[in-house]
Amino acid sequence: MAFLTPNIPLKDPHTQIIIVGASLLLLIGIIFATTFIRASQKDDEDIGTLRSFLRFFYASFLKPHTGDGTENGQQDALESFYKAQAGVYDATRKRLLHGREDMLGLVAAQLVQKATKEHTRDPKRIWVDIGGGTGWNIEAMNAYVSVPEFFSSVYLVDFSPSLCEVARKRFTRLGWTNVKVVCQDARTFRLEDHEDSNESSLGFALPPSYASDEYSSINGADLITLSYSLSMIPDFYSVIDSLTSLLAPAGIIGVVDFYVQSIVDLSCRNYTGGVINRHVNWFGRLFWRAWFDVDRVGLEPGRRDYLEYRFGTLLSADSRNQLLGSIPYYIWIGRPKKPASELSITNYPHEIVERLDAAATESPYLSPINHTKNLFQAVERSVPEIRSKAFDAAIVNLASNLPLPSFFYQNHHWRIHYDDQLKKHTQFKNEYIYAFTWEDTRVDHRLLRLGSNDVVLAITSAGDNILSYALSSPARIHAVDLNPNQNHLLELKVAAYSALPYADFWQLFGVGKHLDFRSLLISRLSPHMSSRAFQYWLNHTHVFASTRSNGLYETGGSRHAIKVVRFLSIALGFRAEIKKLLGAKTLNEQREIYNKKIRPILMSRLLSYLVVSQEKFLWAALGVPHNQLAMLEADHLASESLPNSTPSASPLEHSAKDLNASRGKAVWEYMVSTLDPVVETSLIGEDNPYYLVCLQGSYSQRCHPDYLKPKSHQKLSRKGAFDGLRIHTDEVNEVISRMAAGTLTVAVVMDSMDWFDPGSEAAGVQIEKLNRSLKLGGRVLLRSAALRPWYIDTFESLGFVSKRVGARAAGACIDRRVNMYASCWLLTKIEDLIPPTPKVSSLSSRDSSIDLEKLET
């Protein structure tokens, strides 16, 4: 019987490869079969699902390709691949082609937002779906907008007759008479062949061509989509080029497709809209390109790169389909390379650059409309301090004929451009530290009394204070934070004001959880966010939506401290006492519960020495840097000095050894001085949202920050409520150094001055720049971990008069509800410093290298 056994030389490497390949295909078949059988069981045992898969598997992996070398070329090649599976295409692609619904939801949200802003009634909207195949995308769009009513014309353009036939049957069944299936090469599709070319019928007048292309369309499409089709177009350059003429001046283009790319490719690009999850490792790049090449699907990065070069990026996101080995795919939303501006009829790119630069730097706005030469002269004469980094980046891009950075294509110009690949930003590893702000906004309102003429600069933190200042409607608010993720959180809150009703707003930021957050992000919030913020929250939907998550207020670096308190409350059995504390109706009841049950554990010296006083814990959980820790240690040493001595509270007057030796006791005493007065003077469950959210993980309807009140939502959700907001992702020093002199009226720097090295020149430099940017009479509000921080003397020597408006001495509580700092200061500018000598701008050497009016489409 030996002759019945095939003689396979297993040591032959070629044979081994064949066996491994066949086994892999068999394994894939089993995975797909199992997946689709389960799906069919959920669909009332639909036996057609398994048969659909088998046809897909045959057409994709077994059937030989034909059609090469024929007269019809690419069309015959497509038919060779799709004809055998056209009838089962939709049934087999839902689990493979992820992101299609998300892309449709994003472009629909953009169109709806635009229609709402323009207050248009029954406009003529045109949608062109390139490579639309069976029409699945068009039918799926109906979940977001009514396709028969929202669009006057929809064109499905595909080169496969078999898929087009399926699409025609679909729309006949649906009765959608505004949808037309066009079986045509996308490179030759022109709207004028199908639409009335009379401009009056469009509802808008077309401006001069962006590129004076003789082949440009007479009529522009309001929406163009490509769903997993760009990767199957061999001559993608010409197709993308044709789309620039096909798209209307204010149109939207949406693409979802497979891709592979290395982060190295993007190191010098500032217009991609962010790089979260974009990098694919070398093995993934090699494997997926080879895998998809079998079916003539091109994953080379040049397709997406050219798309991003020819259009401006509005939103961009990268993800993985986990069904079959984490296949990379991207979603990209763009608009014409020349950004539309509601501020200017002529719509020049540099018009937008100038306006945003003026808003970011508080400089006078000088319109460059029809005065390009004047613009260049202004650039050449200007000193670096009055030009923002966004302006510098835009000028470089315009000179290189590149799209503007993605921030310039936003619907709202809240967020200022920054380079997200700099180490000073990537050091935060996509995590914010604070999920809520620790400064008592009630105290800030009392001290600052902001008015409509105030120009405020403040550190973002979690954004709660920024929103509180916005309630006073100042002329401008500059929110500054080096951590991009803190600004992403502020952007999310501002977008929620702009797009969500109060009920959803409360669920997100009052409760800290919303199971439909992902849906809200795509269909409601996305038009009001920058690409980087959108990317961040799309990758962190679990913060709000995961059933295993405790919500927003147990995220970020500060979650570590909250989790320690929760762990102790469970392990040591005082969780019930915390609930009683939060439910206390009187201060006496609260004090009794705290002093008997909770304080002995939280104020345990053992806990302080082993956990709280550890420098790593203080930084990761509470955001206390080394220099600030040294200040409270120095204060402690000063408090323990002999009565007749002259103690110094400056860290410079103590050795590192003495400071470290005092740390345990210093931190313990700081905790006692922080928490005890709060419990004594503030009813936490009724009027102290700062400690309520720490202990409960959410706010309550009776106790929450001012920005969460219904009246606040009503005010800040009005149109234009945040027109004066500018969000800077940078150091305070960098931002104020690029502002026009004498324009700020208030600077709120929180405790950031504590972060400087004691006695450092850097602190003096920042104080000088604050003096320069503030008007006479302008004020700096700061808090410190020291009773009299060392840099107050520096302020006084550089044109400020100081006033301590709160001090945590003799058991006093500086602000009654937070008490996190030892002192609070108002420093008022009383004199100007000698202005520095202006430097000649380096841009003057590029005298005639930039022609802003000839930016290529």
Side-chain angles (χ1 to χ4, degrees), residues 627-642:
N627 290 331
Q628 191 172 56
L629 179 60
M631 293 174 72
L632 66 91
E633 291 167 347
D635 263 9
H636 170 72
L637 290 175
S639 69
E640 288 197 330
S641 59
L642 297 174

Side-chain angles (χ1 to χ4, degrees), residues 92 113 327 394 440 444 461 491 590 605 670 695 753 772 819 856:
T92 56
Q113 193 269 343
I327 307 174
D440 193 336
D444 286 7
S461 186
E491 256 202 85
Q590 176 177 277
R605 289 185 181 272
Y670 198 90
L695 297 174
M753 296 298 299
R772 175 187 168 281
N819 201 35
E856 183 187 348

Side-chain angles (χ1 to χ4, degrees), residues 94 213 328 343 411 415-416 572 591 635 687 744:
K94 187 171 184 179
D213 185 354
L343 305 175
N411 294 313
R415 193 77 177 260
I416 303 300
L572 302 179
R591 293 166 187 157
D635 263 9
D687 191 37
L744 294 178

Side-chain angles (χ1 to χ4, degrees), residues 229-234 236 257-260 288-304 330:
S229 56
L230 185 60
S231 58
M232 297 198 70
I233 299 174
F236 62 90
D257 216 327
F258 300 118
Y259 84 102
V260 292
W288 290 120
R289 285 188 67 172
W291 176 272
F292 280 96
D293 189 64
V294 173
D295 288 327
R296 305 188 182 191
V297 179
L299 267 63
E300 63 271 19
R303 295 172 185 264
R304 184 178 182 184
Y330 69 93

Side-chain angles (χ1 to χ4, degrees), residues 430-432 434-436 485 488-489 492-493 507-509 511-518 521 535-557 559 697:
N430 289 326
E431 182 179 54
Y432 45 83
Y434 308 104
F436 54 93
N485 313 295
H488 295 337
L489 181 55
L492 180 66
K493 292 177 178 179
Q507 279 296 122
L508 286 175
F509 305 112
V511 178
K513 297 194 71 173
H514 200 307
L515 297 181
D516 292 329
F517 173 67
R518 195 177 191 281
L521 179 65
Q535 275 189 9
Y536 180 85
W537 288 112
L538 189 64
N539 281 273
H540 291 80
T541 56
H542 61 275
V543 169
F544 297 98
S546 174
T547 55
R548 293 177 294 180
S549 167
N550 289 317
L552 171 65
Y553 297 110
E554 290 199 20
T555 61
R559 72 184 185 279

Side-chain angles (χ1 to χ4, degrees), residues 605 609 628-642 645 647-651 654 657-673 785-788 808 822:
R605 289 185 181 272
Y609 279 90
Q628 191 172 56
L629 179 60
M631 293 174 72
L632 66 91
E633 291 167 347
D635 263 9
H636 170 72
L637 290 175
S639 69
E640 288 197 330
S641 59
L642 297 174
S645 63
S648 172
S650 171
H654 303 278
K657 182 178 179 181
D658 290 340
L659 292 173
N660 289 336
S662 70
R663 178 169 302 164
K665 192 172 182 181
V667 172
W668 181 81
E669 289 189 352
Y670 198 90
M671 286 174 56
V672 171
S673 299
L787 283 171
R788 182 179 173 83
R808 203 171 64 184

